Amino acid sequence: MYFRIYVLVKRRLVESSCEVQTCLYSFVIVLSVCAGHENRYTEMEMIYVVRRFVRSLLFLLLWSNCEGKDSELNYVTCGSLVKLLNTRHNVRLHSHDVKYGSGSGQQSVTGVENADDANSYWQIRGKPNRPCQRGVAIQCGQAIRITHMKTGRNLHTHHFSSPLSNNQEVSAFGENGEGDDLDVWMVQCDGTYWERDEAVRFRHVGTDVFLSVTGEQYGHPIRGQREVHGMIAPNQHNWWRTMEGVFIQPSQELFQHDEL
């Protein structure tokens, strides 16, 4: 009996934190002693010792697992479905099947104050021909695509003037998640990975502008929505933070290699 418990505990050692490992090693020693001296101690004495260690061990293992899950959820990961808030103007990045009446005539991208609008969900994906693995944390400086959930078009910009501010037009482009090289944005942040609560910038790889909002409002048919555009300089208008969403965690099964 003690040998079977000993083997199970040893397997857990390699995936535990230092605090839990200390408890586990102590438990392994006790199990080893019990297994080697079963004839010297009564069964009730050995059961009592084992039970005390098991109670402490289960508490620490539960704490360790919860701590690990919190750590995984600190980052924005490949495949996550998120709403992005412009922190200066308090509007969420938004799109819909409404075309620009000027410029490229592509699907418009705006900012909305309504936090509950389902048209504000975007999926974080890898760049064309270089997908990222589902659930892996996005690195600062990584090139990504930002795909509109409802329409399947990618956040895009190009050398057209935006209709209200005369900055660079930002649109949603492509079909079923596939567009072109002008759909690629670089995440600019301070650390190693894009943290969920961190304000970041998105710099367009093809034209070097930053995804921005400066407050101009549209009239009919999207009255009150803000213009989203590209600006040459980094400033207070191009900070974004993730809000509501579904943050994909790494697969627990090593044989799965989903890519996006």
Side-chain angles (χ1 to χ4, degrees), residues 166-177:
N166 205 36
N167 285 297
Q168 186 164 297
E169 180 191 277
V170 170
S171 64
F173 175 74
E175 295 293 337
N176 300 317

Side-chain angles (χ1 to χ4, degrees), residues 2 14 62 71 109 129 160 208:
Y2 298 106
V14 297
L62 179 62
S71 178
V109 172
N129 302 318
F160 287 92
D208 285 330

Side-chain angles (χ1 to χ4, degrees), residues 5 14 29 35 46 58 73 85 144 147 153 173 180 191 246 257:
I5 299 175
V14 297
I29 292 170
M46 289 188 289
L58 289 176
L73 293 177
L85 178 78
I144 62 170
T147 304
R153 296 190 173 101
F173 175 74
D180 62 23
V246 178
H257 295 285

Side-chain angles (χ1 to χ4, degrees), residues 32-42 46:
S32 301
V33 171
C34 289
H37 296 84
E38 287 186 89
N39 295 328
R40 294 183 55 185
Y41 300 102
T42 67
M46 289 188 289

Side-chain angles (χ1 to χ4, degrees), residues 94-110 148 151 153 158 163 169-175 218-222 225:
H94 180 89
S95 193
H96 35 231
D97 197 12
V98 176
K99 305 294 192 295
Y100 284 121
S102 60
S104 69
Q106 294 176 3
Q107 181 172 302
S108 58
V109 172
T110 63
H148 189 240
T151 62
R153 296 190 173 101
H158 38 215
E169 180 191 277
V170 170
S171 64
F173 175 74
E175 295 293 337
Y218 288 104
H220 181 78
I222 49 176
Q225 296 186 21

